[in-house]
Amino acid sequence: MFKKYFIIFFLTVFSTAFVANGQNLFSHSSSNDDIIFKYKHLSSRQLLDTANYYFRKNNTETALICYGLLTNAPIKNTTLEHQKIVVEAYNQSAALHYFMSDYRTAYEYLIKALLLCEKTNYTEFEPRIYANIGVIYYRFKKYDLAKQYYLKALSLSSDNSMQRMITLNNLGACELENGRIDSAFYYAQKALQVGEQLSDNNRLHIVWSTIASIHKKSKHYDSAYYYFQLSLAGAEKNNETELKSENLSILGELFFEINKIDSALFYIGLSNVVAKENNFLRIRAKNYLTLSKIEKSRGRHQNALEYFEKHAKLTDSALNTEKFGEVNQLQRLYEVSKTNEQIEQLVLEQHIKERTIHYQRIIQYVILAVLLSVCGVLMFVFFQKRKLDVAYKTLFEKNLKIAEVQEELSKKHPQKHKKSLLTDSAQDILLDKILALMEDTTIICDTEFSIDKLAELVQSNSTYVSQVINNALKKNFRSFLNDYRIKEAQRLFSEPDAAKYTIEAVALQVGFKSRTTFRNVFKEITGISPNFYLKSAQDLHNL
């Protein structure tokens, strides 16, 4: 597999060299003057598209210059279409400065965009600007002010639009920060309804994240876990690393709150990997704080102190980074204004020399960028696959250890699952009967096995059986039954001759009528797919 990727990589680089040969692509200077001269002859739409392209590629300098060519050029006597493009350039410039922690400049660009919107009657763009102003206030924890701007954006947005969905979701996040749980859930549900009606609803995962946070705040942990998993899948699909790291971090907090320390450590570890790779200081600081609480709960006070010191250090770093962004504004504004003077001078020039050559260079750069992007994607896919295989392998080994420990504990302490809250002797006796019967796989793996059947076998009724399971084990009957069935599936997969089984056969043998249901339940409980578990078990036996 690596050889295949290497050959593709080699051919890609060779093709790039061939295209660039004789053209001297890298012979000219990369100064601001050269960038300006290269792009200033483009139409306003081409400039905006080019700027957006470099914005997405995190090429801040080139993106700012291309936006500046639009925002600093005279707009008097220009077409209405051009002025609308300038409004979008203002908005994108604001977003770029926001990500650079230059909030004041971002705010100034948004105000300019808003004024030009009013002048040109570009009302359909106003909701996005009001929402972005709200984001700046939200960043500074001015939630009431942020809410005002979100509501203004909401009143102007069309009924079924992506902007309306995002604004409703932001309102939900605002209300959650203010402790208004019911209101937060109302806005999040409205956002979800709008998103589900959109033909292109690939941004629903941001709403799922907010809904998950609301359920976590309300201590509805099962629902919170479900929506965090949905949001996590969407963030991975859209390559939104910050949301992915944030979701993993909050999942770690969730499992710590329900005292599942191993799961908490697992998700915090995954979050820290992404946060370190992308330098998300705030998320790393939050993770270390959770780790400190975990160590304190275990009585490891020295470890707890060390993690807390890391949390404090990273928190200070994150704050200093933001303060540096604020303190550095004057210097950045001076540099930007100096560049803008150069832009204005060159934009007003009447004669542009060698236009054809510059067009060819732009095409060559685009071809080079596409080829390098393909190469980068292939390498990224390869290394991500390797990382994922290692993570799944580790999870498989953890499942084996957990199964061994559970089996050993069940032999030494058959009634270990009983909770102290069962004070009534009748309930204790019924719980013992239930736990003993659940060990009989010939009964529980029957596809027709139900709570009524269980009640009949333990000589009780379904209502009381359900109550005992809920009170003693903190689970509903379906989760309780699935735990035993998946445990039996793991045992079958771990047999030396497990290669004779198919996933469908094992699913049916342990009581699932549907392969899809079996796969979903198996992955929910173990964290990995049954196919991967079976393959890993076979590899283990083949060692």
Side-chain angles (χ1 to χ4, degrees):
M1 180 62 71
F2 178 79
K3 183 177 180 182
K4 176 182 176 182
Y5 282 114
F6 179 78
I7 293 173
I8 295 174
F9 173 77
F10 176 78
L11 291 175
T12 303
V13 174
F14 178 79
S15 301
T16 303
F18 179 77
V19 171
N21 185 33
Q23 302 297 328
N24 296 321
L25 288 179
F26 304 104
S27 61
H28 52 84
S29 170
S30 61
S31 66
N32 287 349
D33 288 346
D34 290 331
I35 297 174
I36 294 167
F37 190 75
K38 182 167 61 176
Y39 294 122
K40 70 186 181 70
H41 64 277
L42 296 176
S43 69
S44 55
R45 172 54 61 185
Q46 289 173 326
L47 263 177
L48 183 63
D49 291 342
T50 303
N52 290 340
Y53 169 81
Y54 283 110
F55 190 172
R56 291 191 297 269
K57 294 296 181 182
N58 293 322
N59 190 331
T60 306
E61 181 182 4
T62 304
L64 275 176
I65 289 175
C66 289
Y67 288 133
L69 284 166
L70 289 166
T71 58
N72 289 282
I75 62 172
K76 188 177 181 179
N77 299 324
T78 58
T79 65
L80 182 61
E81 182 63 28
H82 172 78
Q83 292 178 25
K84 290 182 177 181
I85 289 174
V86 173
V87 169
E88 296 182 35
Y90 275 134
N91 184 72
Q92 290 296 90
S93 296
L96 199 55
H97 282 284
Y98 175 87
F99 291 128
M100 295 162 58
S101 298
D102 188 353
Y103 306 115
R104 187 176 70 180
T105 305
Y107 187 84
E108 289 175 354
Y109 273 118
L110 290 172
I111 295 302
K112 289 180 179 179
L114 194 58
L115 291 172
L116 190 53
C117 270
E118 295 172 352
K119 180 180 178 181
T120 59
N121 199 29
Y122 192 12
T123 55
E124 59 265 34
F125 204 82
E126 288 184 0
R128 191 182 306 182
I129 299 173
Y130 281 117
N132 287 340
I133 294 175
V135 169
I136 293 178
Y137 281 114
Y138 182 90
R139 181 66 184 81
F140 285 98
K141 300 183 179 180
K142 303 292 185 181
Y143 301 122
D144 289 334
L145 281 173
K147 181 180 178 180
Q148 291 178 20
Y149 280 98
Y150 290 148
L151 289 172
K152 180 68 173 178
L154 190 64
S155 67
L156 296 173
S157 60
S158 56
D159 290 340
N160 294 315
S161 65
M162 181 66 70
Q163 182 60 50
R164 187 174 185 84
M165 184 196 78
I166 294 174
T167 304
L168 284 166
N169 182 69
N170 289 347
L171 277 166
C174 245
E175 294 295 82
L176 182 61
E177 292 293 343
N178 280 324
R180 302 169 186 145
I181 304 297
D182 291 340
S183 181
F185 191 76
Y186 168 81
Y187 283 120
Q189 284 294 323
K190 286 288 186 181
L192 191 61
Q193 290 173 10
V194 173
E196 289 173 344
Q197 293 175 6
L198 297 175
S199 58
D200 182 12
N201 59 0
N202 63 347
R203 299 282 294 167
L204 275 178
H205 55 281
I206 65 173
V207 184
W208 290 330
S209 180
T210 301
I211 293 176
S213 296
I214 294 171
H215 282 298
K216 178 178 176 292
K217 189 80 171 180
S218 305
K219 301 187 182 304
H220 300 154
Y221 295 115
D222 288 341
S223 298
Y225 176 80
Y226 171 77
Y227 281 106
F228 272 128
Q229 289 293 343
L230 287 179
S231 179
L232 190 60
E236 290 176 342
K237 180 179 179 181
N238 289 274
N239 198 28
E240 295 182 12
T241 52
E242 185 170 10
L243 181 59
K244 175 183 176 181
S245 182
E246 181 79 25
N247 282 340
L248 290 169
S249 175
I250 302 177
L251 277 170
E253 294 176 0
L254 185 152
F255 280 106
F256 171 64
E257 289 181 15
I258 61 176
N259 202 29
K260 292 188 177 181
I261 304 302
D262 288 341
S263 296
L265 292 173
F266 173 72
Y267 282 106
I268 290 173
L270 291 180
S271 174
N272 262 339
V273 169
V274 179
K276 287 179 181 178
E277 289 177 350
N278 296 276
N279 199 31
F280 299 149
L281 299 182
R282 178 184 59 83
I283 297 177
R284 289 177 61 196
K286 186 166 68 169
N287 287 339
Y288 283 129
L289 180 61
T290 305
L291 288 170
S292 176
K293 293 177 180 178
I294 290 174
E295 293 300 296
K296 183 178 179 181
S297 71
R298 291 174 157 183
R300 302 173 182 174
H301 298 291
Q302 181 61 35
N303 291 346
L305 179 61
E306 291 175 359
Y307 278 126
F308 187 82
E309 289 175 348
K310 290 182 178 180
H311 156 74
K313 184 177 179 181
L314 282 176
T315 301
D316 290 340
S317 298
L319 290 175
N320 289 335
T321 299
E322 295 177 4
K323 289 178 180 178
F324 177 78
E326 296 172 5
V327 172
N328 200 40
Q329 285 179 20
L330 292 177
Q331 178 65 25
R332 187 181 294 115
L333 286 172
Y334 167 77
E335 294 173 356
V336 171
S337 64
K338 184 178 178 181
T339 302
N340 288 341
E341 290 175 359
Q342 298 172 346
I343 292 172
E344 291 172 357
Q345 181 181 356
L346 291 173
V347 167
L348 294 174
E349 291 178 354
Q350 300 298 319
H351 302 287
I352 301 175
K353 299 179 181 180
E354 300 178 347
R355 177 174 298 181
T356 304
I357 296 175
H358 283 290
Y359 271 119
Q360 291 175 347
R361 286 179 178 173
I362 292 172
I363 293 172
Q364 290 165 355
Y365 272 115
V366 172
I367 293 174
L368 177 62
V370 170
L371 290 173
L372 291 177
S373 297
V374 171
C375 174
V377 168
L378 290 174
M379 296 300 293
F380 175 81
V381 169
F382 170 73
F383 286 112
Q384 286 297 106
K385 185 177 184 303
R386 288 187 61 183
K387 287 181 181 179
L388 191 60
D389 285 343
V390 171
Y392 277 166
K393 196 71 175 180
T394 302
L395 197 55
F396 166 75
E397 293 171 357
K398 286 185 177 180
N399 273 283
L400 286 181
K401 291 180 181 178
I402 291 171
E404 292 173 0
V405 170
Q406 288 178 341
E407 184 176 356
E408 184 177 347
L409 287 175
S410 65
K411 291 178 180 178
K412 294 182 178 179
H413 308 287
Q415 298 183 5
K416 192 68 177 177
H417 294 289
K418 292 202 306 182
K419 303 296 181 179
S420 60
L421 58 86
L422 293 175
T423 56
D424 186 82
S425 60
Q427 292 186 11
D428 288 343
I429 293 171
L430 179 55
L431 178 60
D432 288 339
K433 289 181 179 180
I434 292 171
L435 293 175
L437 188 139
M438 293 301 291
E439 296 296 332
D440 189 341
T441 57
T442 61
I443 295 176
I444 67 169
C445 291
D446 183 351
T447 56
E448 302 301 325
F449 185 69
S450 64
I451 191 169
D452 292 328
K453 183 67 175 177
L454 175 60
E456 178 184 342
L457 292 173
V458 297
Q459 299 178 339
S460 183
N461 61 75
S462 58
T463 301
Y464 199 56
V465 167
S466 176
Q467 182 182 355
V468 169
I469 293 174
N470 290 338
N471 292 340
L473 304 176
K474 303 301 181 185
K475 297 179 181 179
N476 59 35
F477 171 74
R478 183 54 54 189
S479 297
F480 178 54
L481 176 60
N482 285 342
D483 284 342
Y484 278 89
R485 287 178 169 178
I486 296 303
K487 179 180 176 183
E488 174 63 12
Q490 288 177 281
R491 186 190 67 77
L492 293 173
F493 285 148
S494 300
E495 291 181 352
D497 59 346
K500 67 183 181 181
Y501 295 121
T502 64
I503 301 302
E504 290 85 352
V506 172
L508 188 61
Q509 188 170 341
V510 299
F512 289 90
K513 297 179 180 179
S514 165
R515 170 195 168 102
T516 301
T517 303
F518 171 67
R519 184 186 182 282
N520 292 340
V521 173
F522 192 98
K523 189 168 184 180
E524 179 182 351
I525 292 176
T526 66
I528 55 180
S529 68
N531 304 72
F532 189 89
Y533 194 100
L534 176 58
K535 182 179 180 301
S536 299
Q538 291 175 355
D539 291 343
L540 190 63
H541 286 301
N542 291 334
L543 291 179

